[in-house]
Amino acid sequence: MAQHGPRLVVPIDVTKKPREQKLPLHNRWHPDIPPVAEVRVGEVFRVEMVDFSGGGITKEYTAEDIKFSDQFVVHYLSGPIRVVDEDGPAKPGDLLAVEICNLGALPGDEWGFTAIFDRENGGGFLTDHFPCATKAIWYFEGIYAYSPHIPGVRFPGLTHPGIIGTAPSMELLNIWNERERELEENGLKSLKLCEVLHSRPLANLPSTKGCLLGKIEEGSREWEKMANEAARTIPGRENGGNCDIKNLSRGSKIYLPVFVEGANFSTGDMHFSQGDGEVSFCGAIEMSGFLELKCEIIRGGMKEYLTPMGPTPLHVNPIFEIGPVEPRFSEWLVFEGISVDESGRQHYLDASVAYKRAVLNAIDYLSKFGYSKEQVYLLLSCCPCEGRISGIVDAPNAVATLAIPTAIFDQDIRPKANKLPIGPRVVRNPDIPRCTYDGNLPITKNLSATGS
């Protein structure tokens, strides 16, 4: 009988650690990580994945696991998966079209978490304002999520993989490592942006610590060589990777450049829901999950469709086709930010500073309705809010906006002529899992802000 339904090519057992899975996982990009499965174009296949931490973050109501986790040993990916058609494997210069047919949480594991990393452990977009490790647990009711730690909100998730990408060639890997090493060594001397966003580190260079390379035996000579070359999975790059595009859900199609024979694509970092920017860094609703996918090889597609934006033909970026399924909201409250930082200093057309100010404006506003600022920060990281660069040409101020769907709240959050209404179920919740901050990095205080 003909097979109907997706073929399971990468199974996951959530009771086991990443190193114990039936098919080995990996948490680096390298051309020599061997594929764990092969698929043919046109077939529908299923890939399961652990959450980004590999099960290191628990659903216990404590933030201790967040504070003491090594958040730079992250993104345990399922794959690589080799793709072939009637003419053989995908080849460098092709485009790999990956269609998301279906996706969701793994049965029996329908929960997730959103967190703020400790400032000493990398923090997030607003780490200078929120230095403490904090966590919220979310439970899923079909397409909806709710959290006992952020009461009074419930919203449908636009579920998506945070990471989907192809393996780099050795030439491209060397380009990545060279440019990121130059940034790490010289960025603080040349980038004034770092003074405002307090991002650290500037880049995450290859490291053997916590390195998983799939079938390559840890500690072997081959593993040592590859681990010192392999790129971290934290940023998105020319191969796709950790782009965190929340609209890549059911029905989406991703056109990925192919750099090695077979394409060797991998995926992971499943999100039940995410706000644009994923601002708390561990900021989506992180979860285990599955993808049901179908692939097509577009021969010679890189040259045909992708124009290099850099010095080599490898400096290309994927194309994404948004699917037809997403939550519908008709009313939004929009917060604006400009490129003037909290000290009042003017920046020139800086969209990052403008977006930071838009997010801070939204946090302070929503804290008037019975929430702590940590609760709002977590909420804006994971609810289906929309971030925009609204103006990038009118010197000196870039303008960024953050739009929040009002329907996710059980109270009316719009400004009114009378006093602020506090919803019946929304009360300040002191029991949100949170740790103390014990470091000594500088903290930004907004002296004009309200609340805690």
Side-chain angles (χ1 to χ4, degrees), residues 174-224:
N174 289 335
I175 289 172
W176 292 352
N177 287 336
E178 181 178 348
R179 73 190 185 197
E180 291 176 21
R181 185 171 290 108
E182 195 279 333
L183 174 67
E184 178 72 16
E185 292 173 353
N186 301 311
L188 280 174
K189 304 172 186 175
S190 60
L191 297 177
K192 292 184 178 179
L193 182 65
C194 302
E195 302 172 13
V196 182
L197 295 185
H198 302 281
S199 297
R200 44 181 306 275
L202 296 181
N204 294 278
L205 302 179
S207 168
T208 60
K209 182 180 179 181
C211 180
L212 280 186
L213 297 173
K215 294 179 179 180
I216 304 300
E217 183 181 355
E218 185 171 350
S220 66
R221 181 176 299 179
E222 183 182 15
W223 182 90
E224 289 283 351

Side-chain angles (χ1 to χ4, degrees), residues 339 346-354 391-399:
S339 49
Q346 180 75 62
H347 295 260
Y348 180 72
L349 295 179
D350 195 317
S352 294
V353 173
I392 202 67
V393 295
D394 298 316
N397 276 331
V399 177

